[in-house]
Amino acid sequence: MVAILHNIRSLHNVGSIFRTADAAGVEKIYLCGITPTPLDKFGTVRQQVAKVSLGAEKSVPWERAASTSRVIDRLKKEGYKIFAVEQSKKSIPYHKATIPGNSRVALVVGHEVRGLSPAILKKADKILEIPMAGKKESLNVAVAFGIVVFHLLHA
């Protein structure tokens, strides 16, 4: 499984996703759009990422990509199934998701406020959402990533 982070703004969320990805055995993280990388433009580790990731930015391979759409297209050609985490009319509860056969999965999460664009969702093979029972409409992106990635490991 690989992860695609689309326009995540928070360095803390990026660090948290790296730590969870390490724990889940994610092979690689694609940092797309405005998503910050663990290193700044001078190659120095961003302390806000490192503080939360606890070194996972060193153990999980990552790649910077300007275009989420191009990454998805490339991964689809490599045989990946694209699973997006977003609330949508086409989404299904995450706990009902299964991975067909021995398919490789790319899990896409998006911007903390705007989520994933319709164009990205259109490229997804499945759109997964976490049903909410409380008054809040959504969870923090790093928390949502953790819930879904661990479910998919056992799906």
Side-chain angles (χ1 to χ4, degrees):
M1 184 178 310
V2 298
I4 302 171
L5 280 55
H6 173 74
N7 288 338
I8 305 293
R9 299 173 304 168
S10 166
L11 292 162
H12 291 120
N13 283 336
V14 171
S16 182
I17 291 170
F18 264 91
R19 187 171 174 187
T20 301
D22 177 77
V26 169
E27 298 170 38
K28 187 173 190 175
I29 298 175
Y30 293 89
L31 306 165
C32 302
I34 65 167
T35 305
T37 63
L39 305 175
D40 66 18
K41 64 182 177 181
F42 303 109
T44 304
V45 173
R46 295 180 197 266
Q47 290 306 307
Q48 290 173 302
V49 172
K51 178 181 179 182
V52 181
S53 73
L54 296 178
E57 78 283 357
K58 297 173 189 167
S59 61
V60 179
W62 57 271
E63 181 180 322
R64 169 85 182 97
S67 170
T68 303
S69 186
R70 285 192 196 116
V71 169
I72 290 171
D73 290 345
R74 185 172 89 214
L75 291 173
K76 278 187 163 229
K77 285 180 185 171
E78 293 174 15
Y80 281 84
K81 298 293 181 189
I82 309 301
F83 286 18
V85 180
E86 185 61 80
Q87 295 169 330
S88 161
K89 290 179 181 178
K90 294 183 179 179
S91 64
I92 62 168
Y94 78 96
H95 55 83
K96 292 186 178 179
T98 58
I99 299 173
N102 284 337
S103 298
R104 297 185 293 175
V105 171
L107 185 60
V108 187
V109 294
H111 189 275
E112 291 91 339
V113 177
R114 293 189 296 269
L116 295 170
S117 69
I120 298 297
L121 293 177
K122 193 173 187 178
K123 292 178 178 282
D125 295 297
K126 290 187 183 180
I127 303 171
L128 310 177
E129 74 173 272
I130 300 169
M132 304 298 294
K135 294 182 181 181
K136 293 296 174 187
E137 294 180 8
S138 65
L139 293 168
N140 170 278
V141 65
V143 172
F145 174 80
I147 290 169
V148 176
V149 76
F150 274 97
H151 168 75
L152 292 175
L153 285 175
H154 304 290

